[in-house]
Amino acid sequence: MKYVLVTGGVVSGLGKGVTASSIGVLLKACGLRVTSIKIDPYLNTDAGTMSPFEHGEVFVLDDGGEVDLDLGNYERFLNIKLTRDNNITTGKIYQKVIDRERRGDYLGKTVQVVPHITDAIQEWIESVAVIPVDGKDGPADVCVIELGGTIGDIESMPFIEALGQFSYRVGAGNFCLIHVSLVPVLNVVGEPKTKPTQHSVRGLRGLGLTPNILACRSTMALDENIKAKLSQFCHVPVENIIDVHDVSNIWHIPLLLKDQKAHEAILKVLNLPSGAQEPVLEEWSSRAELCDELREPVRIAMVGKYTEHSDSYLSVVKALLHASVRCRKKLVVDWVPACDLENVTKKENLEAHRAAWKKLKGANGVLVPGGFGDRGVQGKILAAKYAREKRVPYLGICLGMQIAVIEFARSVLGLQDANSTEFDPNTRNPCVIFMPEGSKTHMGGTMRLGSRRTYFQSLESVSAKLYGNQKYIDERHRHRYEVNPDMVAQLESRGLSFPGKDETGQRMEIVELPGHPYFVGVQFHPEFKSRPGKPSPLFLGFVAASCRELEVVPQHCGGQEKVSPTYHINGHLPSKYSRMARLVMVACMAFTRFAMACTCDLRHWCHPRQDLSIWCVW
């Protein structure tokens, strides 16, 4: 097993997670199998109880692990499925060591940070690195490890010591250290300054770790003089100093690393020069370039509680991006604080209230993501009502689904006090109730978590068609409350549909409003399984509906697709043909339709929502 360790210096938030993910993409493109581990030095056992304001979103894995958002980057970039053990925290390590001590495993020895904590860290890394995460048998070739925080943090010290011992134990040819550091450009001076990186590398060396490669984060490309200076003072070869400057979208990072031959430097350190091929990233490159070229916008109003911190909804935004690129549209997310939509805000801050409603009314689609607590709930209900009544495409995720049900019960059924018992335990019309398998006293790891199966009740529903008319799907969950099964019949009698349920038929997984352009709510979180080359079907349907192009989405839209331009003929995607063949087919089809229009026989060919003027252009 080969190991690549990614550390960070100077400041936090440099993009170590994206850098580590991009390194994984590069090595995978060389023909190597790659797995990832994220080390978080905080004392929490996992990220499940951490505030989105402080730490961003909580990413959920198939096995129910609530982990750091960087594991979401690893899964999206590498198209792998990680486990909860791929996220190591100080809390997990100390808990493991203390459990051993309580059992008497240390035979009366004094338990100390060195060697017991450091040994436990190394054992954990070695045991997790061999777990296959790409669906194939056997361990991966390379494990990319990201150490969270910044070099010099007190919390990181045990991990730094453990990794120093680990690098010595596995040998120089099996361990590569990549240090991500800041090279700032001061406005007054106008040139990159290397001193922060020099100090960072000096501190890293003082702790027993020597970087093999420097990944220099900067707002601009670094010239050779700067690289030569860094090489001289940091004792790193010039060819091993990688310039990671700001780019238009993060999909360019693996390409940036490839252009600077970062893979050659890594393979050389790991003694793998002959065991890998030149990285193949044509599809990745096409997607990155396509994302830059998109001009026609699709505006999505994100009505949430944590809109001040976009990382709180990172996976949702990424899923929207994947879908919008597939639809050849430029994604524009309008952040709408749910509280600002409420009448209380109208009285206290009229300007904020008007601004929020202006964004909502100017959007092509409305998305209400998950969340906890009652703050902003009334604003979310108003957003769902607006989308339902004005026939604006709506996607509700987790709480967003529950909101849609509550709003329907209030507005259509006339139950003005309809609510969730999360917000009003004494409501006479509980549309959403606490699920029996949860816990009201312990918050961490007690929700309905991880991959659960949803069975389609009807293959005629929008969601079933988007998933390719499968009988069931597996999606990831993270919630405590769910739709009250006792009210389902009453809701269905007035037009609401529940086409997706669990194996018992008692848990409502999907809600739809038939006849609406797109009104879908799901109890699960489809954003966690969306990938750049394989967008989530529900997100793709939502974005396509927001573009008024839902009818041309391929039936099984969640499948892998090349990034070359697509041309839809009568709603079908003839992907087996070449680009030129498709162009010719579309041109012939258009000419035929135009000719038939001249004979007043267009009704046999045209889709009701297609305009004759589009075809006249041909």
Side-chain angles (χ1 to χ4, degrees), residues 7-16 19 150-151 179-186 191-201 214-220 222 226 230 234 241-246:
T7 61
V10 185
V11 295
S12 59
L14 284 178
K16 294 191 304 297
T19 303
T150 306
I151 293 300
H179 187 57
V180 183
S181 185
L182 177 67
V183 180
V185 179
L186 303 181
E191 65 175 354
K193 307 302 292 184
T194 64
K195 194 63 71 176
T197 297
Q198 293 179 39
H199 287 305
S200 182
V201 171
L214 285 182
C216 300
R217 286 285 292 113
S218 181
T219 57
M220 57 184 287
L222 304 180
I226 297 296
L230 285 168
C234 298
I241 296 177
I242 309 301
D243 171 21
V244 190
H245 56 264
D246 292 351

Side-chain angles (χ1 to χ4, degrees), residues 25-32 254-255 257-265 267 272-282:
V25 169
L26 201 58
L27 296 177
K28 188 175 179 180
C30 289
L32 298 170
L255 306 174
L257 297 179
K258 177 190 174 184
D259 291 342
Q260 298 177 74
K261 301 188 181 302
H263 57 288
E264 294 183 3
L267 296 176
L272 284 172
S274 59
Q277 61 189 22
E278 187 69 17
V280 179
L281 290 170
E282 280 76 9

Side-chain angles (χ1 to χ4, degrees), residues 387-430:
R388 180 180 61 83
E389 293 181 343
K390 300 300 182 181
R391 298 179 61 80
V392 177
Y394 176 88
L395 178 60
I397 300 173
C398 196
L399 178 60
M401 169 190 173
Q402 299 168 10
I403 289 295
V405 173
I406 294 171
E407 188 281 322
F408 189 87
R410 290 182 180 182
S411 301
V412 179
L413 298 184
L415 305 175
Q416 295 302 319
D417 64 337
N419 214 331
S420 167
T421 55
E422 179 182 6
F423 313 130
D424 182 6
N426 301 316
T427 178
R428 290 178 298 175
N429 291 288

Side-chain angles (χ1 to χ4, degrees), residues 10-11 49 66 108 198 348 377 531 586:
V10 185
V11 295
T49 59
E66 298 174 282
Q198 293 179 39
E348 298 176 352
V377 165
R531 303 289 181 263
V586 172

Side-chain angles (χ1 to χ4, degrees), residues 60 316 367-372 380 394-406 420 422-423 432 435 447-449 476-483 508-511 520-528 538-539:
V60 179
V316 176
L367 192 153
V368 177
F372 298 91
K380 295 177 182 179
Y394 176 88
L395 178 60
I397 300 173
C398 196
L399 178 60
M401 169 190 173
Q402 299 168 10
I403 289 295
V405 173
I406 294 171
S420 167
E422 179 182 6
F423 313 130
V432 180
M435 30 180 278
M447 291 181 276
R448 191 166 190 247
L449 291 165
R476 299 175 184 178
H477 293 65
R478 185 176 185 253
H479 64 99
R480 287 190 175 87
Y481 293 81
E482 60 189 14
V483 175
M508 305 302 114
E509 295 283 2
I510 304 175
V511 61
V520 178
V522 290
Q523 188 59 75
F524 46 82
H525 289 263
E527 69 270 22
F528 291 144
L538 292 175
F539 275 87

Side-chain angles (χ1 to χ4, degrees), residues 233-272:
F233 285 96
C234 298
H235 305 166
V236 175
V238 173
E239 60 270 20
N240 286 12
I241 296 177
I242 309 301
D243 171 21
V244 190
H245 56 264
D246 292 351
V247 290
S248 54
N249 69 73
I250 61 172
W251 292 339
H252 282 290
I253 301 299
L255 306 174
L256 194 63
L257 297 179
K258 177 190 174 184
D259 291 342
Q260 298 177 74
K261 301 188 181 302
H263 57 288
E264 294 183 3
I266 297 171
L267 296 176
K268 183 177 180 180
V269 173
L270 295 177
N271 286 334
L272 284 172

Side-chain angles (χ1 to χ4, degrees), residues 338-569:
C339 292
D340 290 352
L341 296 172
E342 299 174 356
N343 291 329
V344 175
T345 304
K346 184 177 181 179
K347 297 176 182 178
E348 298 176 352
N349 189 340
L350 182 59
E351 185 176 347
H353 180 77
R354 287 176 175 172
W357 275 100
K358 183 178 180 180
K359 289 180 180 179
L360 185 67
K361 292 180 179 180
N364 303 117
V366 177
L367 192 153
V368 177
F372 298 91
D374 60 356
R375 186 171 68 86
V377 165
Q378 297 307 316
K380 295 177 182 179
I381 291 175
L382 290 171
K385 182 177 182 179
Y386 170 81
R388 180 180 61 83
E389 293 181 343
K390 300 300 182 181
R391 298 179 61 80
V392 177
Y394 176 88
L395 178 60
I397 300 173
C398 196
L399 178 60
M401 169 190 173
Q402 299 168 10
I403 289 295
V405 173
I406 294 171
E407 188 281 322
F408 189 87
R410 290 182 180 182
S411 301
V412 179
L413 298 184
L415 305 175
Q416 295 302 319
D417 64 337
N419 214 331
S420 167
T421 55
E422 179 182 6
F423 313 130
D424 182 6
N426 301 316
T427 178
R428 290 178 298 175
N429 291 288
C431 295
V432 180
I433 60 174
F434 184 78
M435 30 180 278
E437 67 186 70
S439 171
K440 292 185 178 181
T441 57
H442 289 73
M443 306 302 288
T446 59
M447 291 181 276
R448 191 166 190 247
L449 291 165
S451 182
R452 305 297 179 101
R453 185 154 290 180
T454 296
Y455 291 86
F456 287 109
Q457 310 301 303
S458 169
L459 297 182
E460 294 303 314
S461 64
V462 171
S463 52
K465 291 178 179 178
L466 287 170
Y467 276 102
N469 292 325
Q470 302 178 61
K471 293 183 179 179
Y472 60 83
I473 55 172
D474 295 314
E475 292 282 6
R476 299 175 184 178
H477 293 65
R478 185 176 185 253
H479 64 99
R480 287 190 175 87
Y481 293 81
E482 60 189 14
V483 175
N484 185 354
D486 294 337
M487 290 194 68
V488 169
Q490 189 176 2
L491 292 164
E492 288 181 328
S493 68
R494 297 300 300 272
L496 208 59
S497 171
F498 294 92
K501 300 180 182 180
D502 76 336
E503 65 278 1
T504 68
Q506 295 299 303
R507 297 180 187 273
M508 305 302 114
E509 295 283 2
I510 304 175
V511 61
E512 291 183 10
L513 186 61
H516 192 283
Y518 192 91
F519 195 94
V520 178
V522 290
Q523 188 59 75
F524 46 82
H525 289 263
E527 69 270 22
F528 291 144
K529 294 180 71 172
S530 183
R531 303 289 181 263
K534 187 179 180 182
S536 162
L538 292 175
F539 275 87
L540 185 52
F542 171 63
V543 172
S546 300
C547 302
R548 298 187 178 184
E549 296 177 357
L550 183 58
E551 70 276 4
V552 297
V553 173
Q555 186 179 38
H556 184 30
C557 62
Q560 187 80 16
E561 179 190 342
K562 298 294 182 181
V563 189
S564 56
T566 56
Y567 304 89
H568 304 288
I569 301 177

